Amino acid sequence: MHPQMILNSNYMKKISFYVALVAMMLLPLRMVGQSRLTMSFEDANGRAVRQVEATMGEEFVEPTLMIQPAGAQVRVVYSSANERVATVDMMNGEVTLVSAGSTTIIAQSGETEAYFGAQAQYSLIVNAAQDTTPVIEPTCPEARFYMNGAQLTSLSVKVGESVSVPMLMSATGSMLSGRVSVQNTAVATVSADNMIHGLAEGTTTLFVSTVSTAEGSVLTCDYSLPLVVEAAAPQKQSPELSWSDTIIYAELGVPCEAPVLLNPHNVPMNKIESQNPNVAEISEDGTQLTIKGVGDALIFAESFETPEYYAQSVSYIVHVSTIGLRVKGINVTSLNAADVLGDGSHNVTFDVESRTLHLNSWNIDGANLSIDAMIKDEGVERPLTIMLHGVNSITNVQTCILAANIPVIVMGQSMRDELTMSANQIAVNTPYFKIHQCAVSAQAPMAAIKLGNELGVSKNSHLLATSTGLAIQCKTFVMAEGEEGVAILTPGVRFETNKGFMTTNNQYAKEVEIGKVPVVAPADEVTTIDFTATDPEGNESIVFSASANDAYNEQTGQLELASSLTDEVVAQALDSLVPGSSAWIDLLPGSLVFDIPAGQGKVRVQCLTLAGYTLQVKMEGQAVVSIAQTALGWAEVTYDVPAPVHVVIYLHAQSAASAPARIATRVEDAVSAGAYIQAVKIVPENAPVGFENVQSDDVQSTKFIRDGQLIIIRDGKMYNATGVEVK
């Protein structure tokens, strides 16, 4: 009602009666006994809150909603009248500020059986965040001048000379740059290329002006350094040093006189030395020259700098040559050659130009000649050539020809020219040994050739051996093109072969030793690798790296493999190890290694593999090929290689199960292996069709050497290498 209206008391009583009556009629279901509920917001001090302020970016603490009576069980729902300013969690009343502005936060409870509904609210004013960004004024950084890594407190330059402007470095390590100037330009000036030029004696100041900026403000920073211009230094003179010769020629083993150092002003010397003391040494005073080796040495002399003279360096070259031969520890020279080599009849001579030692029907022994080294001439490893004239011999010397760094070539005019070796532990020790158009033979009790790398036999040449054999150690065996091949065997292995080494009675040698290399297959014939050859101690050929788990079964003629390998280990060994070396055998037990020639062809393996295992064939540069044969038979792997490469055959376990612990070496033993290999055959595409090619794979044959000839037993009959039946 309007407050100005005046109602009498009777009228008011009537109105109250009717209102109550209407209420009772309209709300017939309202429970008798409901209580009134009050709600209000209060601050931390218990005072009622109707309006609060908050600031964006700052913490806001909501007023506390108080409900009377205390402990009343009612459900309260919160809301914000303007959610663009602030939002509120409808369940707990937690407020989140959104932007500057105002809103109303409302809390409202619903009506329950015990209480009437109630409501409370407060006004929230949100202020914008305060700008607290500080104003940054530019400052001049602390800086120092530096030159050649050292800090400067002043800078000096002589009249007529120049020096570069030093670096200006801040305390943080950054380099500062700016305009450079000199206070007194009559004393010194600065050019455009930042060079300070001394003009006259005096003192002035060097300035470097830089610019420092911050928030758009600019500050000029000036840095100064005292600059002293000194008087020009007096001119020094040359000490006029020189040697009496600029090049001298010397011979190894022959005394040599040193040139004279000319020092007309007697200036003190800083050092006199040889820059190649392995060739020539010089005494400290430069008067004694000692020849040490072959080649060129620079003899160098340098004087000290003095107030009157500047330092000077002078030098001369010593060129040292040699005949290149050392006999019984003595260097052969032009002065002693006749005494060391000659026997009065010129049966032993040495040609310096061709490096050729001529033996004319002569016996080399410890009493007259023992070649223990060849000397490099000017760093070049020129070979030693031994030219044979007639029949010559090497006897009674532990090591007769030792040329650790020099190849040795033995030559003759024909096969009638010979070199016979006997009673030597090592007759020849050299990295390379070549035989050309002559005969080199070995006689009882023993002869040996120890080579660091390669043995070569050329056309019309033979290595001859008696029944005791010719012991040779090398890595590679080289035959001349078109000549008969030679089987390549391993140290400590005696192998039967049908061609190559011959005895002195022109028969094939049945037992020969030669160095650590795989079996080499010729490019023009079929090669079958035979596993039947072992030495008296039972060592297998290098083509089979045996271990405790792998062996050759002489009764069955098979390799029995139990040591399984991974493809990665084999590939690593091919890349980094020499087949047949101790490291190879340790890393790859049970592996079979041989060489195939360049070109195309097939590698055929007669084998049997057990369940869970395969034989792997790895050729250098090609992918691994797996062979699984459940019955003894032939498997083929084709090849196409541009050059001869190594081939490795090895056992591979297809599962994580370990290989058998041991295999049998005799028939009566229990055999437990992963695979068996009966034979391996290398068949080049250009191999001529012949007996080896045409025999069928299912025909079992036996091979052996009789009187130096290959004999093959097939179907109970004997045939030679050409297929002709023999008795």
Side-chain angles (χ1 to χ4, degrees):
M1 284 185 190
H2 197 280
Q4 294 182 352
M5 293 182 64
I6 302 175
L7 300 176
N8 59 43
S9 60
N10 290 332
Y11 178 77
M12 292 299 294
K13 290 179 180 180
K14 291 180 179 180
I15 292 301
S16 299
F17 171 79
Y18 288 118
V19 169
L21 179 62
V22 171
M24 291 178 65
M25 295 174 63
L26 293 176
L27 302 173
L29 300 179
R30 175 168 292 185
M31 296 180 61
V32 178
Q34 277 184 314
S35 301
R36 181 173 299 280
L37 187 74
T38 62
M39 299 169 56
S40 63
F41 285 101
E42 296 181 358
D43 61 14
N45 298 319
R47 294 175 296 191
V49 174
R50 292 182 176 81
Q51 179 176 305
V52 295
E53 290 191 12
T55 302
M56 292 297 296
E58 298 181 3
E59 183 181 7
F60 172 67
V61 179
E62 298 85 352
T64 302
L65 178 65
M66 303 299 295
I67 301 175
Q68 294 293 336
Q73 299 296 317
V74 295
R75 182 172 179 272
V76 179
V77 178
Y78 296 86
S79 62
S80 172
N82 188 353
E83 293 190 344
R84 290 179 296 177
V85 174
T87 60
V88 63
D89 189 300
M90 65 181 298
M91 301 303 295
N92 59 25
E94 182 178 343
V95 175
T96 301
L97 305 181
V98 177
S99 63
S102 63
T103 184
T104 300
I105 304 301
I106 302 169
Q108 185 165 355
S109 68
E111 185 175 331
T112 67
E113 293 180 356
Y115 299 100
F116 294 106
Q119 176 179 302
Q121 64 183 34
Y122 64 89
S123 177
L124 174 61
I125 299 174
V126 180
N127 300 315
Q130 298 294 323
D131 185 7
T132 59
T133 304
V135 178
I136 301 176
E137 296 292 339
T139 59
C140 291
E142 181 182 353
R144 297 287 186 272
F145 287 95
Y146 290 87
M147 180 172 286
N148 297 326
Q151 182 179 337
L152 300 180
T153 56
S154 64
L155 181 64
S156 299
V157 63
K158 289 183 171 56
V159 175
E161 297 182 1
S162 302
V163 65
S164 61
V165 174
M167 290 190 300
L168 182 63
M169 303 291 293
S170 70
T172 60
S174 60
M175 186 170 66
L176 305 179
S177 61
R179 186 176 62 88
V180 183
S181 61
V182 175
Q183 183 181 36
N184 188 347
T185 56
V187 174
T189 59
V190 179
S191 58
D193 58 353
N194 274 355
M195 294 298 295
I196 302 171
H197 305 281
L199 302 180
E201 289 186 60
T203 301
T204 183
T205 302
L206 176 71
F207 291 103
V208 176
S209 299
T210 67
V211 174
S212 176
T213 61
E215 298 293 336
S217 300
V218 179
L219 178 66
T220 300
C221 302
D222 292 325
Y223 302 90
S224 61
L225 182 69
L227 176 61
V228 179
V229 179
E230 302 172 344
Q235 294 294 323
K236 294 185 178 182
Q237 298 180 359
S238 169
E240 299 180 306
L241 297 178
S242 64
W243 291 100
S244 58
D245 288 297
T246 57
I247 183 171
I248 63 171
Y249 297 91
E251 184 180 352
L252 186 64
V254 178
C256 180
E257 187 175 326
V260 177
L261 177 63
L262 304 177
N263 185 1
H265 302 288
N266 293 320
V267 294
M269 299 304 298
N270 179 19
K271 57 185 174 181
I272 300 176
E273 63 184 16
S274 170
Q275 293 191 343
N276 192 352
N278 293 328
V279 174
E281 290 182 345
I282 190 71
S283 60
E284 292 185 359
D285 61 2
T287 60
Q288 300 296 322
L289 184 64
T290 304
I291 304 302
K292 306 290 289 187
V294 178
D296 291 330
L298 183 69
I299 306 301
F300 174 82
E302 181 183 67
S303 64
F304 283 108
E305 183 175 3
T306 68
E308 297 83 13
Y309 301 98
Y310 55 75
Q312 183 185 4
S313 299
V314 291
S315 62
Y316 66 89
I317 295 175
V318 181
H319 177 77
V320 183
S321 61
T322 177
I323 289 181
L325 186 64
R326 182 178 292 130
V327 174
K328 297 177 65 176
I330 301 174
N331 294 332
V332 180
T333 69
S334 58
L335 299 180
N336 65 11
D339 295 331
V340 175
L341 297 176
D343 65 326
S345 58
H346 302 288
N347 288 328
V348 182
T349 58
F350 186 79
D351 183 76
V352 176
E353 294 297 325
S354 63
R355 293 295 184 90
T356 301
L357 180 69
H358 292 268
L359 301 181
N360 190 354
S361 301
W362 189 248
N363 173 50
I364 301 177
D365 63 18
N368 53 40
L369 183 61
S370 175
I371 302 171
D372 53 37
M374 284 293 295
I375 304 165
K376 293 182 182 180
D377 187 3
E378 302 173 357
V380 178
E381 294 184 357
R382 300 177 182 175
L384 166 65
T385 300
I386 300 177
M387 180 62 70
L388 303 178
H389 304 273
V391 178
N392 302 268
S393 61
I394 300 177
T395 59
N396 302 323
V397 181
Q398 180 175 353
T399 300
C400 184
I401 301 177
L402 172 61
N405 298 308
I406 306 298
V408 174
I409 301 172
V410 179
M411 300 183 63
Q413 303 300 316
S414 68
M415 283 295 298
R416 291 188 298 273
D417 298 320
E418 296 183 15
L419 178 61
T420 302
M421 297 178 288
S422 63
N424 293 275
Q425 290 185 9
I426 299 177
V428 179
N429 188 344
T430 177
Y432 304 93
F433 190 62
K434 312 289 185 181
I435 302 172
H436 179 73
Q437 198 163 290
C438 65
V440 176
S441 63
Q443 297 180 354
M446 176 184 182
I449 300 176
K450 185 177 182 180
L451 309 177
N453 190 1
E454 185 176 296
L455 170 67
V457 180
S458 65
K459 186 176 181 180
N460 297 328
S461 302
H462 290 284
L463 286 173
L464 310 176
T466 64
S467 59
T468 58
L470 178 66
I472 300 177
Q473 293 180 348
C474 69
K475 291 183 179 179
T476 305
F477 187 89
V478 179
M479 291 293 292
E481 187 71 23
E483 295 301 309
E484 292 293 321
V486 175
I488 305 301
L489 318 176
T490 60
V493 177
R494 298 201 175 273
F495 211 98
E496 292 185 350
T497 179
N498 68 308
K499 56 181 64 176
F501 291 105
M502 298 187 68
T503 64
T504 52
N505 59 355
N506 292 326
Q507 297 295 319
Y508 286 108
K510 292 186 177 181
E511 294 181 340
V512 180
E513 271 187 337
I514 194 168
K516 288 184 177 180
V517 291
V519 170
V520 177
D524 56 354
E525 65 184 71
V526 176
T527 301
T528 301
I529 299 176
D530 186 3
F531 307 120
T532 61
T534 59
D535 66 5
E537 288 74 34
N539 297 318
E540 287 79 18
S541 167
I542 197 61
V543 296
F544 177 50
S545 301
S547 72
N549 297 335
D550 311 282
Y552 171 71
N553 192 320
E554 295 182 2
Q555 301 296 325
T556 62
Q558 296 180 140
L559 295 179
E560 298 172 345
L561 303 183
S563 299
S564 61
L565 302 168
T566 65
D567 299 341
E568 293 77 9
V569 170
V570 175
Q572 176 187 356
L574 277 173
D575 290 340
S576 60
L577 300 178
V578 176
S581 63
S582 59
W584 175 281
I585 295 173
D586 291 341
L587 185 63
L588 301 183
S591 63
L592 178 67
V593 187
F594 52 93
D595 282 355
I596 57 174
Q600 299 177 347
K602 300 176 181 178
V603 174
R604 312 187 68 202
V605 184
Q606 190 178 26
C607 60
L608 165 66
T609 58
L610 276 63
Y613 296 92
T614 58
L615 281 175
Q616 305 288 86
V617 180
K618 170 62 177 177
M619 302 180 187
E620 283 184 291
Q622 298 196 18
V624 176
V625 178
S626 298
I627 297 176
Q629 293 275 99
T630 57
L632 185 63
W634 289 91
E636 288 187 353
V637 178
T638 60
Y639 64 82
D640 185 1
V641 293
V645 298
H646 293 316
V647 180
V648 184
I649 299 179
Y650 57 98
L651 180 65
H652 175 69
Q654 295 175 317
S655 66
S658 60
R662 190 182 182 280
I663 69 166
T665 57
R666 296 187 300 276
V667 169
E668 59 266 28
D669 292 342
V671 177
S672 177
Y676 305 85
I677 301 178
Q678 185 79 32
V680 176
K681 185 177 292 186
I682 300 101
V683 186
E685 276 195 356
N686 59 340
V689 177
F691 179 76
E692 288 277 359
N693 265 343
V694 299
Q695 61 177 332
S696 61
D697 294 334
D698 58 349
V699 175
Q700 297 297 317
S701 61
T702 301
K703 301 179 182 180
F704 68 97
I705 302 298
R706 185 180 71 179
D707 296 329
Q709 294 186 353
L710 174 65
I711 302 298
I712 301 174
I713 300 177
R714 187 183 63 175
D715 298 332
K717 298 181 179 181
M718 293 189 299
Y719 302 86
N720 62 18
T722 62
V724 177
E725 184 178 356
V726 296
K727 300 297 183 181

